[in-house]
Amino acid sequence: QVQLVESGGGLVQAGGSLRLSCAASGRTFSSYAMGWFRQAPGKEREFVAAISWSGSKTYYEDSVKDRFTMSRDNAKNTVYLQMNSLKPEDTAVYYCAAEALGLGTVLPGQYDYWGRGTQVTVSS
């Protein structure tokens, strides 16, 4: 069982930065791949970024590829999403998720555990 708690969301102006954190409980955290997803009002949940269990591979959705960076610290059971050059279209609830296979995937259905989300609002 893995429990995930996101933090770091908030209100920021366009062009600003935020760093999201996702703290995980459970001794097997380091074996899970982790992902960040987001959901804007009236839209489906979409993939943002993922990282393999070791941190050696990362994957990004095209619109965030040059602006967001995902990382993990297995010693702290935490993953991060550094978001720079934020745009109003980045406004959404951001969720972290854990995937038992450890490889990382863009498919939300492949993830086994989810956090409750943190709100990110980018004003123009």
Side-chain angles (χ1 to χ4, degrees):
Q1 188 81 8
V2 176
Q3 293 184 329
L4 305 172
V5 179
E6 303 95 336
S7 62
L11 174 64
V12 64
Q13 289 188 334
S17 298
L18 284 174
R19 188 175 82 153
L20 304 184
S21 299
C22 174
S25 65
R27 298 179 180 178
T28 59
F29 168 78
S30 61
S31 68
Y32 284 81
M34 299 296 293
W36 285 99
F37 291 77
R38 66 187 180 187
Q39 188 167 17
K43 295 187 177 182
E44 293 186 353
R45 191 168 298 189
E46 66 173 3
F47 170 77
V48 176
I51 191 167
S52 62
W53 68 272
S54 65
S56 62
K57 295 184 178 180
T58 52
Y59 311 90
Y60 298 95
E61 193 273 329
D62 285 346
S63 70
V64 310
K65 191 169 293 184
D66 297 322
R67 301 184 294 122
F68 292 8
T69 302
M70 186 173 184
S71 61
R72 68 188 297 160
D73 185 339
N74 286 342
K76 295 183 178 181
N77 280 13
T78 302
V79 294
Y80 305 96
L81 185 68
Q82 177 67 44
M83 306 187 295
N84 299 328
S85 302
L86 283 161
K87 305 176 180 180
E89 50 264 43
D90 295 318
T91 295
V93 177
Y94 283 70
Y95 299 89
C96 73
E99 180 245 311
L101 288 177
L103 300 178
T105 173
V106 305
L107 301 174
Q110 297 297 315
Y111 286 80
D112 302 279
Y113 301 100
W114 291 83
R116 292 189 173 185
T118 185
Q119 176 70 48
V120 171
T121 303
V122 184
S123 63
S124 58

